[in-house]
Coordinates of all heavy atoms in Angstrom, one line a residue:
M18 N 25.8 -3.8 -21.8 CA 25.5 -5.2 -21.4 C 23.9 -5.2 -21.2 O 23.4 -4.4 -20.4 CB 26.2 -5.6 -20.2 CG 25.9 -6.9 -19.6 SD 26.8 -7.4 -18.1 CE 28.3 -6.5 -18.1
G19 N 23.3 -6.1 -21.7 CA 21.8 -6.3 -21.5 C 21.5 -6.8 -20.2 O 22.3 -7.4 -19.5
L20 N 20.2 -6.7 -19.8 CA 19.7 -7.2 -18.5 C 19.9 -8.7 -18.4 O 20.4 -9.2 -17.3 CB 18.2 -6.9 -18.4 CG 17.5 -7.3 -17.1 CD1 18.2 -6.7 -15.9 CD2 16.1 -7.0 -17.1
A21 N 19.7 -9.5 -19.4 CA 19.9 -11.0 -19.3 C 21.3 -11.3 -19.0 O 21.7 -12.1 -18.2 CB 19.4 -11.6 -20.5
E22 N 22.3 -10.6 -19.8 CA 23.7 -10.9 -19.6 C 24.1 -10.4 -18.2 O 24.9 -11.2 -17.6 CB 24.5 -10.2 -20.7 CG 26.0 -10.6 -20.7 CD 26.8 -9.9 -21.7 OE1 26.2 -9.3 -22.6 OE2 28.0 -9.9 -21.7
W23 N 23.7 -9.3 -17.8 CA 24.1 -8.7 -16.5 C 23.6 -9.7 -15.4 O 24.3 -10.0 -14.4 CB 23.5 -7.4 -16.3 CG 23.7 -6.8 -14.9 CD1 24.8 -6.1 -14.6 CD2 22.9 -6.8 -13.7 NE1 24.8 -5.7 -13.2 CE2 23.6 -6.1 -12.7 CE3 21.6 -7.3 -13.5 CZ2 23.0 -5.9 -11.5 CZ3 21.1 -7.1 -12.3 CH2 21.8 -6.4 -11.3
S24 N 22.4 -10.3 -15.5 CA 21.8 -11.2 -14.5 C 22.7 -12.4 -14.4 O 23.0 -12.9 -13.4 CB 20.4 -11.5 -14.9 OG 19.9 -12.5 -14.0
Q25 N 23.1 -13.0 -15.6 CA 23.9 -14.2 -15.6 C 25.2 -13.9 -14.9 O 25.7 -14.8 -14.2 CB 24.1 -14.7 -17.0 CG 22.8 -15.2 -17.7 CD 23.0 -15.5 -19.1 OE1 24.1 -15.3 -19.7 NE2 22.0 -16.1 -19.7
R26 N 25.8 -12.8 -15.1 CA 27.2 -12.5 -14.6 C 27.1 -12.2 -13.1 O 28.0 -12.6 -12.3 CB 27.8 -11.4 -15.3 CG 28.3 -11.7 -16.7 CD 29.1 -10.6 -17.3 NE 29.5 -11.0 -18.6 CZ 30.2 -10.2 -19.4 NH1 30.7 -9.1 -19.0 NH2 30.6 -10.6 -20.6
V27 N 26.2 -11.3 -12.7 CA 26.2 -10.8 -11.4 C 25.2 -11.6 -10.4 O 25.5 -11.7 -9.2 CB 25.7 -9.3 -11.4 CG1 25.6 -8.8 -10.0 CG2 26.7 -8.5 -12.2
G28 N 24.2 -12.1 -11.0 CA 23.1 -12.7 -10.1 C 23.6 -13.8 -9.2 O 23.0 -14.0 -8.1
R29 N 24.6 -14.6 -9.6 CA 25.0 -15.7 -8.7 C 26.3 -15.5 -8.0 O 26.8 -16.4 -7.4 CB 25.1 -16.9 -9.6 CG 23.8 -17.3 -10.2 CD 24.0 -18.5 -11.1 NE 23.0 -18.4 -12.2 CZ 23.2 -18.5 -13.5 NH1 24.5 -18.7 -13.9 NH2 22.3 -18.3 -14.3
V30 N 26.9 -14.3 -8.1 CA 28.2 -14.1 -7.7 C 28.3 -13.9 -6.1 O 29.2 -14.5 -5.5 CB 28.8 -12.8 -8.3 CG1 30.2 -12.5 -7.8 CG2 28.9 -13.1 -9.8
V31 N 27.4 -13.2 -5.5 CA 27.7 -12.8 -4.1 C 26.7 -13.5 -3.2 O 25.4 -13.4 -3.4 CB 27.5 -11.2 -3.9 CG1 27.7 -10.9 -2.5 CG2 28.4 -10.5 -4.9
Q32 N 27.2 -14.3 -2.3 CA 26.3 -15.1 -1.4 C 25.6 -14.1 -0.5 O 26.1 -13.2 0.0 CB 27.2 -16.0 -0.5 CG 26.5 -16.8 0.4 CD 25.9 -18.1 -0.2 OE1 26.2 -18.4 -1.3 NE2 25.1 -18.7 0.5
G33 N 24.3 -14.4 -0.3 CA 23.5 -13.5 0.6 C 22.9 -12.4 -0.1 O 22.1 -11.6 0.5
R34 N 23.3 -12.1 -1.3 CA 22.7 -10.9 -2.0 C 21.6 -11.4 -2.9 O 21.5 -12.7 -3.1 CB 23.8 -10.3 -2.9 CG 24.9 -9.5 -2.1 CD 24.4 -8.2 -1.6 NE 25.4 -7.6 -0.8 CZ 25.9 -6.4 -1.1 NH1 25.5 -5.7 -2.2 NH2 26.8 -5.9 -0.3
P35 N 20.8 -10.6 -3.4 CA 19.6 -11.0 -4.2 C 20.1 -11.6 -5.5 O 21.2 -11.4 -6.0 CB 18.9 -9.7 -4.5 CG 19.8 -8.7 -4.3 CD 20.8 -9.1 -3.3
R36 N 19.4 -12.5 -6.0 CA 19.6 -13.2 -7.3 C 18.6 -12.7 -8.3 O 17.4 -12.8 -8.0 CB 19.6 -14.7 -7.1 CG 19.9 -15.4 -8.4 CD 20.0 -17.0 -8.1 NE 20.4 -17.6 -9.3 CZ 19.6 -18.3 -10.1 NH1 18.3 -18.4 -9.8 NH2 20.0 -18.9 -11.2
L37 N 19.0 -12.2 -9.4 CA 18.1 -11.8 -10.4 C 18.2 -12.8 -11.7 O 19.3 -13.2 -12.0 CB 18.5 -10.4 -10.9 CG 18.1 -9.2 -10.1 CD1 18.9 -9.2 -8.8 CD2 18.2 -7.9 -10.9
E38 N 17.0 -13.0 -12.2 CA 17.0 -13.9 -13.3 C 15.9 -13.4 -14.3 O 14.8 -13.0 -13.8 CB 16.6 -15.3 -12.9 CG 16.7 -16.4 -13.9 CD 16.4 -17.8 -13.3 OE1 17.1 -18.1 -12.3 OE2 15.6 -18.5 -13.9
V39 N 16.2 -13.5 -15.6 CA 15.3 -13.1 -16.6 C 14.8 -14.4 -17.3 O 15.6 -15.1 -17.8 CB 15.9 -12.1 -17.6 CG1 14.9 -11.8 -18.7 CG2 16.4 -10.9 -17.0
E40 N 13.5 -14.6 -17.2 CA 13.0 -15.8 -17.9 C 11.6 -15.5 -18.4 O 10.7 -14.9 -17.8 CB 12.9 -16.9 -16.9 CG 12.1 -16.7 -15.6 CD 12.1 -17.8 -14.7 OE1 13.1 -18.5 -14.5 OE2 11.0 -18.1 -14.1
N41 N 11.4 -15.8 -19.7 CA 10.1 -15.6 -20.4 C 9.6 -14.2 -20.3 O 8.4 -13.9 -20.0 CB 9.1 -16.6 -19.9 CG 9.5 -18.0 -20.1 OD1 10.2 -18.4 -21.1 ND2 9.2 -18.9 -19.2
G42 N 10.5 -13.1 -20.4 CA 10.0 -11.8 -20.3 C 9.7 -11.3 -18.9 O 9.1 -10.2 -18.8
R43 N 10.1 -12.1 -17.9 CA 9.8 -11.7 -16.5 C 11.2 -11.5 -15.8 O 12.2 -12.2 -16.1 CB 9.1 -12.8 -15.8 CG 7.7 -13.0 -16.4 CD 7.2 -14.3 -15.7 NE 5.8 -14.5 -16.0 CZ 5.3 -15.1 -17.0 NH1 6.1 -15.6 -18.0 NH2 3.9 -15.2 -17.2
L44 N 11.2 -10.5 -14.9 CA 12.4 -10.4 -14.0 C 12.0 -11.0 -12.7 O 11.1 -10.6 -12.0 CB 12.7 -8.9 -13.8 CG 13.8 -8.6 -12.8 CD1 15.1 -9.2 -13.2 CD2 13.9 -7.1 -12.6
V45 N 12.8 -12.0 -12.3 CA 12.5 -12.7 -11.0 C 13.7 -12.3 -10.1 O 14.8 -12.4 -10.4 CB 12.5 -14.3 -11.2 CG1 12.3 -15.0 -9.9 CG2 11.5 -14.7 -12.2
I46 N 13.3 -11.9 -8.8 CA 14.3 -11.6 -7.8 C 14.1 -12.5 -6.6 O 13.0 -12.6 -6.1 CB 14.1 -10.0 -7.4 CG1 14.2 -9.2 -8.5 CG2 15.1 -9.7 -6.3 CD1 13.9 -7.7 -8.3
E47 N 15.2 -13.2 -6.3 CA 15.2 -14.0 -5.1 C 16.0 -13.4 -4.0 O 16.8 -12.5 -4.2 CB 15.8 -15.4 -5.4 CG 15.0 -16.2 -6.5 CD 15.7 -17.4 -6.9 OE1 16.9 -17.7 -6.4 OE2 15.2 -18.2 -7.6
Q48 N 15.7 -13.7 -2.8 CA 16.3 -13.2 -1.6 C 16.1 -11.7 -1.4 O 17.0 -10.9 -1.1 CB 17.9 -13.4 -1.6 CG 18.2 -14.9 -1.7 CD 19.7 -15.1 -1.7 OE1 20.5 -14.3 -1.3 NE2 20.1 -16.4 -2.1
H49 N 14.9 -11.3 -1.5 CA 14.5 -9.9 -1.2 C 13.9 -9.8 0.2 O 13.5 -10.8 0.7 CB 13.4 -9.4 -2.3 CG 12.1 -10.1 -2.2 ND1 11.1 -9.7 -1.3 CD2 11.7 -11.2 -2.7 CE1 10.1 -10.4 -1.5 NE2 10.4 -11.5 -2.3
K50 N 13.7 -8.6 0.7 CA 13.1 -8.4 2.0 C 11.7 -7.9 1.8 O 10.8 -8.4 2.4 CB 13.9 -7.4 2.8 CG 15.2 -8.0 3.3 CD 15.8 -6.9 4.2 CE 17.1 -7.4 4.9 NZ 17.7 -6.4 5.7
S51 N 11.5 -6.9 1.0 CA 10.2 -6.3 0.9 C 10.2 -5.3 -0.3 O 11.2 -5.0 -0.9 CB 9.8 -5.5 2.1 OG 10.7 -4.4 2.3
V52 N 8.9 -4.9 -0.7 CA 8.8 -3.9 -1.8 C 8.7 -2.6 -1.1 O 7.8 -2.3 -0.3 CB 7.6 -4.2 -2.6 CG1 7.3 -3.1 -3.6 CG2 7.7 -5.5 -3.3
R53 N 9.6 -1.7 -1.3 CA 9.6 -0.3 -0.6 C 8.7 0.7 -1.4 O 8.2 1.6 -0.8 CB 11.0 0.2 -0.6 CG 11.8 -0.7 0.4 CD 13.2 -0.1 0.5 NE 13.3 1.1 1.3 CZ 13.4 1.2 2.6 NH1 13.6 0.2 3.3 NH2 13.5 2.4 3.1
A54 N 8.6 0.6 -2.7 CA 7.8 1.5 -3.5 C 7.4 0.8 -4.7 O 8.1 -0.1 -5.3 CB 8.6 2.8 -3.9
Y55 N 6.1 1.2 -5.2 CA 5.5 0.4 -6.3 C 4.7 1.3 -7.1 O 3.8 2.0 -6.6 CB 4.7 -0.7 -5.8 CG 4.0 -1.5 -6.8 CD1 4.6 -2.4 -7.7 CD2 2.6 -1.4 -7.0 CE1 3.9 -3.1 -8.7 CE2 1.9 -2.1 -7.9 CZ 2.6 -3.0 -8.8 OH 1.9 -3.6 -9.7
S56 N 5.0 1.5 -8.4 CA 4.2 2.2 -9.4 C 4.4 1.6 -10.8 O 5.2 0.7 -10.9 CB 4.6 3.7 -9.4 OG 5.8 3.9 -10.1
S57 N 3.7 2.1 -11.7 CA 3.8 1.4 -13.0 C 5.1 1.8 -13.8 O 5.4 1.3 -14.8 CB 2.6 1.8 -13.9 OG 2.6 3.3 -14.1
T58 N 5.9 2.8 -13.1 CA 7.1 3.2 -13.8 C 8.4 2.9 -12.9 O 9.5 3.0 -13.4 CB 7.1 4.7 -14.1 OG1 6.9 5.4 -12.9 CG2 6.1 5.0 -15.1
C59 N 8.2 2.5 -11.6 CA 9.3 2.3 -10.7 C 8.9 1.3 -9.6 O 7.9 1.6 -9.0 CB 9.9 3.6 -10.2 SG 11.3 3.3 -9.1
I60 N 9.7 0.3 -9.4 CA 9.6 -0.6 -8.3 C 10.9 -0.6 -7.6 O 11.9 -0.9 -8.1 CB 9.1 -2.0 -8.8 CG1 7.8 -2.0 -9.5 CG2 9.1 -2.9 -7.6 CD1 7.4 -3.3 -10.1
R61 N 10.8 -0.3 -6.3 CA 12.0 -0.4 -5.4 C 11.9 -1.6 -4.5 O 10.9 -1.7 -3.7 CB 12.2 0.9 -4.6 CG 12.5 2.1 -5.5 CD 12.5 3.4 -4.7 NE 13.1 3.3 -3.4 CZ 12.8 4.1 -2.4 NH1 11.9 5.0 -2.5 NH2 13.4 3.9 -1.2
V62 N 12.9 -2.5 -4.5 CA 12.9 -3.7 -3.7 C 14.0 -3.7 -2.7 O 15.1 -3.5 -3.1 CB 13.0 -4.9 -4.7 CG1 12.9 -6.2 -3.9 CG2 12.0 -4.9 -5.8
D63 N 13.6 -3.8 -1.5 CA 14.6 -3.8 -0.3 C 15.3 -5.3 -0.3 O 14.5 -6.3 -0.4 CB 13.9 -3.6 1.0 CG 14.8 -3.4 2.1 OD1 16.0 -3.0 1.9 OD2 14.4 -3.7 3.3
C64 N 16.6 -5.3 -0.3 CA 17.3 -6.6 -0.3 C 18.4 -6.4 0.8 O 18.8 -5.3 1.2 CB 17.9 -6.8 -1.6 SG 16.8 -6.9 -3.0
P65 N 19.0 -7.6 1.2 CA 20.1 -7.5 2.1 C 21.3 -6.6 1.5 O 21.7 -6.9 0.4 CB 20.6 -9.0 2.3 CG 19.4 -9.8 1.9 CD 18.6 -8.9 0.8
G66 N 21.6 -5.6 2.2 CA 22.7 -4.8 1.8 C 22.4 -3.6 0.9 O 23.2 -2.8 0.5
G67 N 21.1 -3.5 0.4 CA 20.8 -2.4 -0.5 C 19.4 -2.5 -1.1 O 18.5 -3.2 -0.5
E68 N 19.2 -1.8 -2.2 CA 17.9 -1.8 -2.9 C 18.1 -2.1 -4.4 O 19.2 -1.7 -4.9 CB 17.3 -0.5 -2.8 CG 16.5 -0.2 -1.5 CD 15.8 1.1 -1.5 OE1 15.8 1.8 -2.5 OE2 15.1 1.3 -0.5
I69 N 17.2 -2.7 -5.0 CA 17.1 -2.8 -6.4 C 16.0 -1.9 -6.9 O 14.9 -1.9 -6.5 CB 16.8 -4.2 -6.9 CG1 17.9 -5.2 -6.4 CG2 16.6 -4.3 -8.4 CD1 17.6 -6.6 -6.6
W70 N 16.3 -1.0 -7.9 CA 15.4 -0.1 -8.5 C 15.1 -0.6 -9.9 O 16.1 -0.8 -10.7 CB 15.9 1.4 -8.5 CG 16.0 2.1 -7.2 CD1 16.4 1.5 -6.0 CD2 15.8 3.4 -7.0 NE1 16.3 2.5 -5.1 CE2 15.9 3.7 -5.6 CE3 15.4 4.5 -7.9 CZ2 15.8 4.9 -5.1 CZ3 15.3 5.7 -7.3 CH2 15.4 6.0 -5.9
I71 N 13.9 -0.8 -10.2 CA 13.5 -1.3 -11.5 C 12.7 -0.2 -12.1 O 11.6 0.2 -11.6 CB 12.7 -2.6 -11.4 CG1 13.4 -3.7 -10.6 CG2 12.2 -3.1 -12.8 CD1 12.6 -4.7 -10.0
E72 N 13.1 0.3 -13.2 CA 12.4 1.4 -13.9 C 12.0 1.0 -15.3 O 12.7 0.3 -16.0 CB 13.3 2.7 -14.0 CG 13.7 3.2 -12.6 CD 14.7 4.3 -12.7 OE1 15.9 4.0 -12.8 OE2 14.3 5.4 -12.6
G73 N 10.8 1.5 -15.7 CA 10.3 1.1 -17.0 C 8.9 1.6 -17.2 O 8.5 2.6 -16.7
E74 N 8.1 0.8 -18.0 CA 6.7 1.2 -18.3 C 5.8 0.0 -18.1 O 6.2 -1.1 -18.4 CB 6.6 1.7 -19.7 CG 7.4 3.0 -20.0 CD 7.5 3.3 -21.5 OE1 6.7 2.8 -22.2 OE2 8.5 4.0 -21.9
G75 N 4.6 0.3 -17.6 CA 3.7 -0.8 -17.3 C 4.2 -1.9 -16.4 O 3.8 -3.0 -16.5
L76 N 5.0 -1.5 -15.4 CA 5.5 -2.4 -14.5 C 4.4 -3.0 -13.5 O 3.6 -2.2 -13.1 CB 6.7 -1.8 -13.7 CG 7.9 -1.4 -14.4 CD1 8.9 -0.7 -13.5 CD2 8.5 -2.4 -15.3
M77 N 4.4 -4.2 -13.2 CA 3.5 -4.8 -12.2 C 4.1 -6.0 -11.6 O 5.0 -6.7 -12.3 CB 2.1 -5.1 -12.8 CG 2.2 -6.0 -13.9 SD 0.4 -6.2 -14.5 CE 0.7 -7.4 -15.8
L78 N 3.7 -6.3 -10.4 CA 4.1 -7.5 -9.7 C 3.2 -8.6 -10.2 O 2.1 -8.6 -10.0 CB 4.1 -7.4 -8.2 CG 5.1 -6.3 -7.7 CD1 4.8 -6.2 -6.1 CD2 6.5 -6.7 -7.9
E79 N 3.8 -9.7 -10.8 CA 3.0 -10.8 -11.2 C 2.9 -11.8 -10.0 O 1.9 -12.4 -9.8 CB 3.7 -11.6 -12.3 CG 2.9 -12.8 -12.7 CD 3.6 -13.6 -13.8 OE1 4.8 -13.9 -13.6 OE2 3.0 -13.9 -14.8
A80 N 3.9 -11.9 -9.2 CA 4.0 -12.8 -8.1 C 4.8 -12.2 -7.0 O 5.8 -11.6 -7.2 CB 4.5 -14.2 -8.5
L81 N 4.4 -12.4 -5.7 CA 5.2 -11.9 -4.6 C 5.0 -13.0 -3.5 O 3.9 -13.3 -3.0 CB 4.7 -10.6 -4.1 CG 5.2 -10.0 -2.8 CD1 6.7 -9.7 -3.0 CD2 4.5 -8.7 -2.5
S82 N 6.1 -13.5 -3.0 CA 6.2 -14.4 -1.9 C 7.4 -14.1 -1.1 O 8.2 -13.3 -1.5 CB 6.2 -15.8 -2.4 OG 7.5 -16.2 -3.0
H83 N 7.6 -14.8 0.0 CA 8.8 -14.6 0.8 C 10.0 -15.0 0.1 O 11.1 -14.4 0.3 CB 8.6 -15.4 2.1 CG 9.8 -15.2 3.1 ND1 10.0 -14.0 3.7 CD2 10.8 -16.0 3.5 CE1 11.1 -14.1 4.5 NE2 11.5 -15.3 4.3
A84 N 10.0 -16.0 -0.8 CA 11.1 -16.5 -1.5 C 11.5 -15.6 -2.7 O 12.7 -15.5 -3.0 CB 10.9 -17.9 -1.9
E85 N 10.5 -15.1 -3.4 CA 10.8 -14.4 -4.7 C 9.7 -13.5 -5.0 O 8.6 -13.6 -4.6 CB 11.2 -15.3 -5.8 CG 10.0 -16.1 -6.2 CD 10.4 -17.2 -7.4 OE1 11.5 -17.7 -7.3 OE2 9.5 -17.4 -8.2
L86 N 10.1 -12.5 -6.0 CA 9.0 -11.7 -6.6 C 9.3 -11.7 -8.1 O 10.4 -11.8 -8.5 CB 8.9 -10.3 -6.0 CG 10.1 -9.3 -6.1 CD1 10.0 -8.5 -7.4 CD2 10.1 -8.4 -5.0
T87 N 8.2 -11.5 -8.8 CA 8.3 -11.5 -10.3 C 7.7 -10.2 -10.8 O 6.6 -9.8 -10.5 CB 7.5 -12.7 -10.9 OG1 8.1 -13.9 -10.3 CG2 7.7 -12.7 -12.4
V88 N 8.5 -9.5 -11.7 CA 8.1 -8.2 -12.3 C 7.8 -8.4 -13.8 O 8.6 -9.0 -14.4 CB 9.1 -7.1 -12.1 CG1 8.7 -5.8 -12.7 CG2 9.4 -6.9 -10.6
L89 N 6.7 -7.9 -14.2 CA 6.3 -7.9 -15.6 C 6.3 -6.5 -16.1 O 6.1 -5.6 -15.3 CB 5.0 -8.5 -15.9 CG 4.8 -10.0 -15.6 CD1 3.3 -10.3 -15.8 CD2 5.7 -10.8 -16.5
G90 N 6.5 -6.3 -17.4 CA 6.4 -4.9 -18.0 C 7.6 -4.7 -18.9 O 8.4 -5.5 -19.1
T91 N 7.7 -3.5 -19.4 CA 8.9 -3.1 -20.2 C 9.9 -2.5 -19.2 O 9.7 -1.3 -18.7 CB 8.4 -2.0 -21.2 OG1 7.4 -2.5 -22.0 CG2 9.6 -1.6 -22.1
I92 N 10.9 -3.3 -19.0 CA 12.0 -2.8 -18.1 C 13.1 -2.1 -18.8 O 13.6 -2.6 -19.8 CB 12.5 -4.1 -17.3 CG1 11.4 -4.8 -16.5 CG2 13.7 -3.7 -16.5 CD1 11.8 -6.1 -16.0
R93 N 13.3 -0.9 -18.4 CA 14.3 0.0 -19.0 C 15.7 0.0 -18.3 O 16.7 -0.1 -18.9 CB 13.8 1.4 -19.1 CG 12.5 1.6 -19.9 CD 12.8 1.6 -21.4 NE 11.5 1.8 -22.1 CZ 11.1 1.2 -23.1 NH1 11.9 0.3 -23.7 NH2 9.9 1.5 -23.7
H94 N 15.6 0.0 -16.9 CA 16.8 0.1 -16.2 C 16.6 -0.8 -14.9 O 15.5 -0.8 -14.3 CB 17.1 1.4 -15.7 CG 17.4 2.4 -16.9 ND1 18.6 2.5 -17.5 CD2 16.6 3.3 -17.4 CE1 18.4 3.4 -18.5 NE2 17.3 3.9 -18.4
V95 N 17.7 -1.5 -14.5 CA 17.7 -2.1 -13.2 C 19.0 -1.6 -12.5 O 20.1 -1.7 -13.1 CB 17.8 -3.7 -13.3 CG1 17.9 -4.3 -11.9 CG2 16.5 -4.2 -14.0
T96 N 18.9 -1.0 -11.3 CA 20.0 -0.4 -10.6 C 20.1 -0.9 -9.2 O 19.1 -1.1 -8.5 CB 19.8 1.2 -10.6 OG1 19.5 1.7 -11.9 CG2 21.0 1.8 -10.0
W97 N 21.3 -1.2 -8.8 CA 21.6 -1.6 -7.4 C 22.1 -0.4 -6.7 O 22.9 0.3 -7.1 CB 22.6 -2.7 -7.4 CG 23.1 -3.0 -6.0 CD1 24.3 -2.6 -5.4 CD2 22.4 -3.8 -5.0 NE1 24.3 -3.1 -4.1 CE2 23.2 -3.8 -3.9 CE3 21.2 -4.5 -5.0 CZ2 22.9 -4.5 -2.7 CZ3 20.8 -5.2 -3.9 CH2 21.6 -5.2 -2.8
K98 N 21.5 -0.2 -5.5 CA 21.9 1.0 -4.6 C 22.3 0.4 -3.3 O 21.5 -0.1 -2.6 CB 20.8 2.0 -4.5 CG 20.3 2.5 -5.9 CD 19.7 3.8 -5.8 CE 19.3 4.3 -7.2 NZ 19.7 5.6 -7.5
D99 N 23.6 0.5 -2.9 CA 24.1 0.1 -1.7 C 23.5 1.0 -0.6 O 23.2 2.1 -0.8 CB 25.6 0.3 -1.6 CG 26.3 -0.9 -2.3 OD1 25.8 -2.1 -2.2 OD2 27.3 -0.6 -3.0
R100 N 23.5 0.4 0.6 CA 23.0 1.2 1.8 C 24.2 1.9 2.4 O 25.3 1.4 2.4 CB 22.4 0.3 2.9 CG 20.9 0.2 2.6 CD 20.3 -0.5 3.8 NE 20.1 -1.9 3.6 CZ 19.0 -2.4 3.2 NH1 18.0 -1.6 3.0 NH2 18.9 -3.7 2.9

C-alpha cells in the first residue's frame, strides 16, 4: 500500500491521533507535539500515543506550527511507533 493510500485509510480513523495527508508531494502531519529528531534522512515526530518516523532522502521541514508540520523530500518509509 502506498503512502497516499495508507494516509487516506488510517489518517482519519483514530480520534486524538495524528492525521497524515499527502498533498502536492508534501507530507502534512496534524496533531503533533514536537520534532524529536531531524536530519536529511530521518525525521521523528512526537505525537499523542507514539512517534512517527519518516525516512528518506533530502528530507526537510517546509513548515512547522503548533497545528501542523510539512515534510518535503523523497519519502521512503513512514512508520508509527507506539509508546
